[in-house]
């Protein structure tokens, strides 16, 4: 699934993507199920396996937890998922290496906003104002999410957005076979600061 605004494609609706909403993923899964999945003469249904990496893992884990036994996915793999966005946001500012990664990720988001600046300004949701000059100067995810993401998606603050994006307390709600893989030295959410018990 391509996130909105990426791959050089202009926005066709005044909305980007964020870690707290999985509606686009649901739409993609529904499309795949309706167009490409089959049931055999014996009644066996084609299986759908999904893999999510990094934020894709966050979106997929959120979907799986919300869908429960009604999941359109039969099995899943979650790779390098940031299970705790609050801790992850702090980890991205802890040293030179993580700050470089932070700036790289932020620059990608800023480029999407810059490429769609006029469209976004012309289609701003009621009651929302963007300071585009400040947004394009953002050099960290926290400043970008405070200036843009939380406003676009209606969160009270950047921390409120991160709380809604955190999935560590929803793992037990996943009802399909799921393999989650995280490196102990993951640069966003290392084992030392994760405080997550995945053995449930």
């Amino acid at each position: 699934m391509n996130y909105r605004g990426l791959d050089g494609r202009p926005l066709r609706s005044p909305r980007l993507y964020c870690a707290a909403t999985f509606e686009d993923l649901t739409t993609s899964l529904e499309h795949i199920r309706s167009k490409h999945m089959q049931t055999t003469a014996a009644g066996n249904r084609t299986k759908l396996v999904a893999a999510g990496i990094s934020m894709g893992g966050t979106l997929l884990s959120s979907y799986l937890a919300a869908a429960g036994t009604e999941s359109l996915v039969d099995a899943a793999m979650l790779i390098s998922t940031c299970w705790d966005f609050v801790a992850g946001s702090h980890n991205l500012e802890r040293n030179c290496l993580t700050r470089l990664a932070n700036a790289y990720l932020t620059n990608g988001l800023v480029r999407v906003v810059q490429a769609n600046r006029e469209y976004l300004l012309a289609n701003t949701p009621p009651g929302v104002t963007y300071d585009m000059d400040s947004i394009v100067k953002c050099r960290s995810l926290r400043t970008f999410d405070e200036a843009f993401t939380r406003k676009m998606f209606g969160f009270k603050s950047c921390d409120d957005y991160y709380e809604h994006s955190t999935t560590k307390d929803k793992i037990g709600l996943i009802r399909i076979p799921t393999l989650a893989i995280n490196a102990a030295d993951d640069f966003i959410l290392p084992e030392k600061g994760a405080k997550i018990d995945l053995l449930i």
Side-chain angles (χ1 to χ4, degrees):
M1 182 183 81
N2 270 346
Y3 297 129
R4 295 174 185 239
L6 296 190
D7 204 23
R9 298 176 183 271
L11 292 177
R12 292 191 291 177
S13 60
R15 179 173 171 176
L16 262 65
Y17 58 92
C18 83
T21 59
F22 54 81
E23 288 90 348
D24 288 347
L25 173 59
T26 303
T27 300
S28 297
L29 293 173
E30 290 171 347
H31 174 76
I32 292 168
R33 277 279 180 215
S34 67
K35 298 293 183 183
H36 303 290
M37 308 306 282
Q38 302 173 353
T39 301
T40 66
N44 297 321
R45 183 169 59 86
T46 304
K47 301 296 183 183
L48 178 61
V49 178
I53 302 171
S54 192
M55 193 174 85
T58 299
L59 295 176
L60 182 54
S61 64
S62 292
Y63 166 79
L64 296 174
T69 57
E70 301 300 313
S71 172
L72 296 173
V73 174
D74 297 294
M77 177 181 281
L78 308 171
I79 305 166
S80 299
T81 298
C82 183
W83 299 98
D84 186 339
F85 265 68
V86 176
S89 69
H90 294 299
N91 287 333
L92 277 171
E93 298 170 358
R94 76 181 187 274
N95 60 42
C96 182
L97 178 61
T98 59
R99 284 192 293 274
L100 284 172
N102 194 340
Y104 175 79
L105 294 170
T106 305
N107 287 339
L109 290 166
V110 168
R111 283 195 300 273
V112 173
V113 171
Q114 283 180 308
N116 295 277
R117 179 176 182 145
E118 298 307 318
Y119 180 79
L120 289 169
L121 288 174
N123 295 277
T124 303
V128 175
T129 57
Y130 300 127
D131 181 349
M132 287 295 183
D133 291 335
S134 294
I135 292 168
V136 298
K137 294 176 183 175
C138 289
R139 295 296 174 263
S140 73
L141 288 174
R142 178 172 286 276
T143 56
F144 179 87
D145 289 335
E146 182 62 42
F148 184 79
T149 310
R150 68 106 180 162
K151 292 182 179 181
M152 172 168 277
F153 291 92
F155 295 105
K156 293 178 290 187
S157 66
C158 184
D159 286 328
D160 183 41
Y161 164 46
Y162 292 160
E163 287 286 351
H164 278 83
S165 303
T166 293
T167 56
K168 66 178 182 179
D169 297 325
K170 302 175 185 175
I171 298 170
L173 300 175
I174 297 174
R175 292 290 181 261
I176 64 160
T178 302
L179 174 64
I181 301 174
N182 282 72
D185 61 350
D186 187 278
F187 75 95
I188 296 178
L189 194 66
E191 181 182 30
K192 184 177 179 181
K195 297 180 181 177
I196 300 170
D197 183 6
L198 296 181
L199 300 175
I200 54 173

